Amino acid sequence: MASVHESLYFNPMMTNGVVHANVFGIKDWVTPYKIAVLVLLNEMGRTGEAAVSLMERRRLNQLLLPLLQGPDITLSKLYKLIEESCPQLANSVQIRIKLMAEGELKDMEQFFDDLSDSFSGTEPEVHKTSVVGLFLRHMILAYSKLSFSQVFKLYTALQQYFQNGEKKTVEDADMELTSTEEGERKMEKEELDVSIREEEVSCSGPLSQKQAEFFLSQQASLLKNDETKALTPASLQKELNNLLKFNPDFAEAHYLSYLNNLRVQDVFSSTHSLLHYFDRLILTGAESKSNGEEGYGRSLRYAALNLAALHCRFGHYQQAELALQEAIRIAQEANDHVCLQHCLSWLYVLGQKRSDSYVLLEHSVKKAVHFGLPYLASLGIQSLVQQRAFAGKTANKLMDALKDSDLLHWKHSLSELIDISIAQKTAIWRLYGRSTMALQQAQMLLSMNSLESVNAGVQQNNTESFAVALCHLAELHAEQGCFAAASEVLKHLRERFPPNSQHAQLWMLCDQKIQFDRAMNDGKYHLADSLVTGITALNSVEGVYRKAIVLQAQNQMSEAHKLLQKLLIHCQKIRNTEMVISVLLSVAELYRRSSSPTIALPVLLQALALSKEYRLQYLASETVLNLAFAQLILGIPEQALSLLHMAIEPILADGAVLDKGRAMFLVAKCQVASAASYDPPKKAEALEAAIENLNEAKNYFAKVDCKEQIRDVVYFQARLYHTLGKTQERNRCAMLFRQLHQELPSHGVPLINHL
């Protein structure tokens, strides 16, 4: 966000006991809070070095800058901050303010007269050009410009400020005395801290220009890097409205209002604030002063460009295209190549579903490099990599391209794009079915972010890339049956990205999908069906697919088939190849469960061809497993077993635990079917090997608590033990099967008849 321009001034006025100096050369005024800060500075100068330890003085010096730059806070909060740094000095400040507030007006007059002595002498206590010296000089000058009536109002405001602080201190003491349990005391303290935080910027009327600059830059930085530490959307909007009430032409406040409205997805208010920002920028003449006659047109074209980006964010693509055309027209008239490059990037975003969009993107990257725009060039390269990944290019070429992009990041210190690049690598490895590599990249991003801190103790780990990496991490843990670890990751995501934050939808969808998979594994189809609504609200395509899976599990085959066919046409239209393959596999399973394996074969071959073409290794392996099962049903187990040996390695190396269990279960079935024609000794050996594979499959299913699959495995084991004459083992498996069967009554076709 742009810094506050020097030409912006607040209207001099008197509000809520705050005296504003009616002098345009002075951008600050005296408030009761600032008098309290002046008392603190005066006491620090009077207190000798021996009375205050080195650590206490260091803490006080660190406290001064936020006190001078920040908004006015309550007296009780100020006392608490000083006491945390130096209890002895806090007591002196409290006594001094009390004597001034309970005394007479001449005490305040004398205090300001004595402030000038800080600069006198051969070795003054404060240097005139230091931060503290400038603050003292501003306050002395502002006070000297006040009329007698304004001085009297200031003194009255100081008395009221002191009385409110004393009342708050007494209330705090009563709260501590009446608290009987430690847990209650802690809860009350947290509630008190929250209320104080909301009071910090609203306790005393409008902010001065310097306070406004600090407040806006701080909140904008927090919104970008650590949204949880910024004010809540409602509180921030309240403060911005208060700021704009006293200066409606404050352009940067309108821009922060635009960012704040984006947090809550308020399209009307965000558009309104964005237009006001550029209107005020033009009206104040700030752009014209810094850019000459060109400033007016520059504001107009960037206003149109930002409006196009806003409409694109909310999915209003037609309005976005119109705004973008306007921005391009004005930029071409002004021969602004930088603005045209931004427009070219947004043209790709609007037309990325077209088959020839990569040509536009390649041209954008070349032009960005030519005009020395590394940020745009890097974003273009990463968009190109993403497009090529969906087009089925090999992983080594994509990683080489990302390596070139990383060189740009490190060369120009683009830390945000480094995070995006690593998050993209994580997503690409997952797309190609390499979960181990995806896990490694996600952990690399988390460790890198934990080392990079932003000022004011803010960690730059609340960006979208961080949320994406954590969501991948949660899903990868859930796939391996580590649901406790996945829950911890999701809990951390909730804390880092509250529900009202802009990236909260990422973890919400991830959480819903994990819950859905657990409910399906546990056979709780009614619970899975209730989760479909939430998934659909966050991702309509994923929601329809999950609904079809539930209908299929409930044996509503015709409804599931209709839904899958509609989804298949839609996904082919939007070129979502990964979902197309998943839908084809579900359609093939539906045919198989309807006792039509021959109809399922062409569908599976189509899915396999797509998987190979787009190099989606994991989906290809899953398709081969389904082909092997179809061959088993058709009575050719030997060919099915040879297919399994080809596909099982990627499944066991990078697959989900549930898929590993299904693969081993299918291997055992093929072994048993192939052993039917063997000699008795060789047949017994094959059945023993099948039992071992069934034990391994059962362990996999137990990790994800998939009771229906465990029931089918123990039933199959009981049959094999009976064939081998092992009565004790057979009875144990039969008893376990009976317990599970009573707990989970079968729905429709038993799972023992298929994968």
Side-chain angles (χ1 to χ4, degrees):
M1 191 180 71
S3 61
V4 179
H5 296 282
E6 291 297 318
S7 59
L8 298 177
Y9 293 100
F10 290 87
N11 299 325
M13 60 196 325
M14 170 89 184
T15 311
N16 296 335
V18 183
V19 181
H20 302 245
N22 194 6
V23 180
F24 283 104
I26 300 175
K27 302 172 188 177
D28 223 334
W29 47 81
V30 187
T31 66
Y33 161 73
K34 288 173 183 173
I35 294 176
V37 175
L38 289 171
V39 171
L40 169 62
L41 293 172
N42 191 255
E43 286 296 322
M44 286 178 66
R46 293 172 56 183
T47 306
E49 293 185 5
V52 180
S53 67
L54 180 62
M55 287 302 298
E56 288 177 336
R57 188 166 291 276
R58 185 177 296 172
R59 286 197 294 266
L60 284 169
N61 291 337
Q62 291 176 341
L63 176 65
L64 279 180
L65 194 60
L67 290 181
L68 297 179
Q69 292 182 327
D72 293 5
I73 59 176
T74 59
L75 188 59
S76 58
K77 176 66 175 176
L78 180 63
Y79 286 155
K80 185 179 293 186
L81 291 173
I82 301 172
E83 190 173 2
E84 289 172 357
S85 302
C86 181
Q88 178 187 349
L89 195 63
N91 189 41
S92 303
V93 171
Q94 190 170 6
I95 293 171
R96 188 86 178 272
I97 295 174
K98 183 177 181 181
L99 290 173
M100 193 187 301
E102 293 181 349
E104 299 178 356
L105 181 59
K106 65 179 182 180
D107 296 327
M108 188 177 73
E109 288 275 1
Q110 185 62 41
F111 172 71
F112 275 94
D113 290 340
D114 295 341
L115 281 179
S116 301
D117 297 339
S118 303
F119 303 109
S120 61
T122 55
E123 293 185 2
E125 296 174 0
V126 180
H127 293 283
K128 290 184 177 182
T129 56
S130 66
V131 175
V132 174
L134 288 172
F135 176 75
L136 288 174
R137 289 163 64 192
H138 284 166
M139 291 297 102
I140 293 169
L141 185 59
Y143 184 79
S144 65
K145 296 291 183 180
L146 298 179
S147 65
F148 178 76
S149 60
Q150 289 176 322
V151 171
F152 179 74
K153 289 177 180 179
L154 175 62
Y155 184 68
T156 306
L158 177 64
Q159 290 177 320
Q160 186 65 40
Y161 183 70
F162 170 74
Q163 290 170 8
N164 292 340
E166 288 293 303
K167 190 184 299 182
K168 190 75 175 176
T169 306
V170 171
E171 289 176 1
D172 294 349
D174 291 342
M175 286 173 65
E176 290 182 3
L177 289 172
T178 54
S179 300
T180 55
E181 296 181 3
E182 187 66 27
E184 291 179 2
R185 281 205 303 271
K186 183 177 179 182
M187 182 181 68
E188 289 167 354
K189 185 177 183 299
E190 289 173 353
E191 291 173 355
L192 179 62
D193 290 343
V194 172
S195 63
I196 288 172
R197 185 188 179 199
E198 299 296 330
E199 285 176 354
E200 284 182 6
V201 290
S202 59
C203 67
S204 58
L207 304 176
S208 69
Q209 180 175 337
K210 287 188 176 180
Q211 287 177 326
E213 288 177 357
F214 179 74
F215 173 71
L216 293 178
S217 63
Q218 183 189 52
Q219 291 299 316
S221 176
L222 289 172
L223 286 182
K224 179 184 177 183
N225 298 318
D226 199 349
E227 194 177 332
T228 54
K229 292 187 179 178
L231 291 176
T232 61
S235 302
L236 181 56
Q237 195 59 45
K238 180 182 176 183
E239 298 308 325
L240 290 172
N241 291 339
N242 185 50
L243 199 62
L244 291 168
K245 181 172 67 176
F246 297 106
N247 190 352
D249 294 333
F250 198 176
E252 281 70 16
H254 285 290
Y255 192 80
L256 187 59
S257 176
Y258 155 70
L259 295 178
N260 189 44
N261 286 310
L262 279 182
R263 297 164 71 189
V264 292
Q265 305 294 312
D266 187 347
V267 60
F268 175 77
S269 299
S270 55
T271 307
H272 179 79
S273 297
L274 182 64
L275 293 176
H276 270 289
Y277 167 68
F278 283 101
D279 287 345
R280 285 348 185 242
L281 211 59
I282 295 169
L283 287 174
T284 56
E287 282 290 306
S288 297
K289 286 184 178 181
S290 59
N291 297 283
E293 295 298 324
E294 173 61 18
Y296 178 79
R298 186 176 186 275
S299 294
L300 286 178
R301 58 181 174 268
Y302 278 100
L305 179 61
N306 278 273
L307 192 61
L310 177 65
H311 283 306
C312 187
R313 176 168 182 156
F314 286 105
H316 308 153
Y317 298 115
Q318 189 174 0
Q319 293 93 323
E321 195 167 346
L322 291 172
L324 197 57
Q325 287 173 1
E326 180 70 12
I328 292 171
R329 184 185 62 79
I330 303 173
Q332 284 176 337
E333 290 176 359
N335 200 25
D336 187 345
H337 294 290
V338 175
C339 184
L340 284 171
Q341 274 308 113
H342 284 278
C343 293
L344 189 59
S345 300
W346 280 105
L347 268 179
Y348 162 72
V349 173
L350 290 173
Q352 59 183 327
K353 297 299 181 184
R354 295 201 303 262
S355 58
D356 60 341
S357 60
Y358 72 93
V359 178
L360 195 67
L361 191 55
E362 288 176 350
H363 182 65
S364 172
V365 172
K366 290 176 183 176
K367 284 287 187 182
V369 173
H370 175 72
F371 290 113
L373 301 171
Y375 194 93
L376 274 182
S378 175
L379 281 178
I381 291 171
Q382 297 200 46
S383 298
L384 200 57
V385 167
Q386 188 182 74
Q387 191 185 59
R388 295 291 171 84
F390 289 133
K393 300 298 179 183
T394 55
N396 61 330
K397 291 182 179 178
L398 299 180
M399 293 304 157
D400 284 342
L402 285 175
K403 182 185 69 176
D404 296 337
S405 174
D406 289 339
L407 290 176
L408 276 176
H409 304 157
W410 293 108
K411 182 179 178 181
H412 298 279
S413 300
L414 302 173
S415 58
E416 183 183 354
L417 292 182
I418 294 171
D419 299 344
I420 294 173
S421 176
I422 298 175
Q424 179 133 281
K425 289 175 187 175
T426 306
I428 289 172
W429 284 123
R430 280 208 74 196
L431 178 69
Y432 286 161
R434 302 283 188 172
S435 60
T436 307
M437 292 299 296
L439 189 64
Q440 182 192 44
Q441 292 294 327
Q443 290 173 341
M444 184 188 298
L445 176 58
L446 302 186
S447 61
M448 284 183 64
N449 267 289
S450 63
L451 297 175
E452 182 180 352
S453 61
V454 185
N455 50 357
V458 177
Q459 296 294 323
Q460 193 175 2
N461 54 6
N462 283 48
T463 55
E464 184 180 13
S465 54
F466 187 81
V468 168
L470 279 175
C471 287
H472 280 305
L473 210 56
E475 290 181 351
L476 288 168
H477 279 91
E479 285 177 1
Q480 299 305 316
C482 305
F483 294 114
S487 299
E488 286 297 320
V489 175
L490 287 168
K491 181 182 176 183
H492 182 71
L493 275 163
R494 288 189 192 96
E495 293 171 357
R496 286 288 178 191
F497 303 93
N500 61 355
S501 63
Q502 55 183 334
H503 303 312
Q505 290 186 359
L506 294 171
W507 66 258
M508 287 179 178
L509 179 60
C510 175
D511 187 21
Q512 294 281 314
K513 285 162 68 176
I514 291 174
Q515 289 186 46
F516 178 89
D517 291 337
R518 292 194 71 178
M520 290 296 294
N521 293 343
D522 208 17
K524 298 177 180 177
Y525 303 135
H526 62 286
L527 179 59
D529 196 21
S530 66
L531 292 167
V532 167
T533 307
I535 296 174
T536 307
L538 297 166
N539 188 326
S540 58
V541 173
E542 191 73 34
V544 173
Y545 175 65
R546 303 271 171 161
K547 179 66 177 179
I549 290 176
V550 174
L551 290 173
Q552 189 174 330
Q554 293 173 337
N555 283 327
Q556 300 181 35
M557 298 301 181
S558 57
E559 292 85 351
H561 186 263
K562 290 176 185 177
L563 212 56
L564 287 170
Q565 289 298 329
K566 289 180 182 178
L567 183 60
L568 182 62
I569 295 169
H570 176 70
C571 291
Q572 287 172 340
K573 184 179 179 181
I574 64 173
R575 298 181 182 176
N576 188 346
T577 308
E578 191 178 7
M579 184 56 74
V580 166
I581 297 170
S582 299
V583 171
L584 287 173
L585 291 176
S586 296
V587 170
E589 185 180 354
L590 188 145
Y591 288 145
R592 197 173 59 237
R593 292 184 63 172
S594 303
S595 302
S596 304
T598 51
I599 304 176
L601 283 175
V603 179
L604 289 172
L605 291 173
Q606 184 185 354
L608 183 61
L610 282 172
S611 303
K612 295 287 187 181
E613 181 185 351
Y614 289 92
R615 291 179 170 81
L616 304 177
Q617 178 186 311
Y618 188 72
L619 285 173
S621 301
E622 196 172 339
T623 307
V624 171
L625 286 182
N626 282 273
L627 277 169
F629 184 66
Q631 288 180 335
L632 175 64
I633 295 175
L634 292 171
I636 41 177
E638 292 82 5
Q639 291 188 19
L641 202 55
S642 64
L643 266 180
L644 277 174
H645 289 311
M646 181 180 69
I648 201 167
E649 185 179 341
I651 294 286
L652 295 179
D654 295 299
V657 168
L658 185 62
D659 291 332
K660 292 177 184 178
R662 286 171 173 165
M664 297 309 298
F665 194 12
L666 182 56
V667 169
K669 287 182 179 181
C670 291
Q671 287 175 330
V672 173
S674 301
S677 59
Y678 292 171
D679 297 332
K682 192 176 179 181
K683 182 178 180 180
E685 186 180 343
L687 295 183
E688 290 286 355
I691 289 173
E692 289 180 8
N693 288 328
L694 287 172
N695 283 327
E696 190 174 349
K698 184 168 65 175
N699 292 333
Y700 285 134
F701 291 139
K703 285 183 180 180
V704 289
D705 197 27
C706 191
K707 294 180 181 177
E708 287 196 355
Q709 295 279 16
I710 295 173
R711 176 186 63 185
D712 296 330
V713 168
V714 294
Y715 170 75
F716 204 55
Q717 279 183 318
R719 295 286 299 269
L720 294 180
Y721 281 130
H722 179 73
T723 305
L724 293 171
K726 296 183 177 182
T727 310
Q728 187 175 356
E729 289 84 352
R730 180 202 64 187
N731 293 341
R732 177 171 52 80
C733 290
M735 182 182 67
L736 184 58
F737 167 77
R738 182 177 181 182
Q739 291 174 353
L740 290 170
H741 192 64
Q742 289 175 344
E743 184 180 347
L744 298 168
S746 64
H747 296 276
V749 182
L751 288 177
I752 191 63
N753 292 334
H754 60 275
L755 183 60

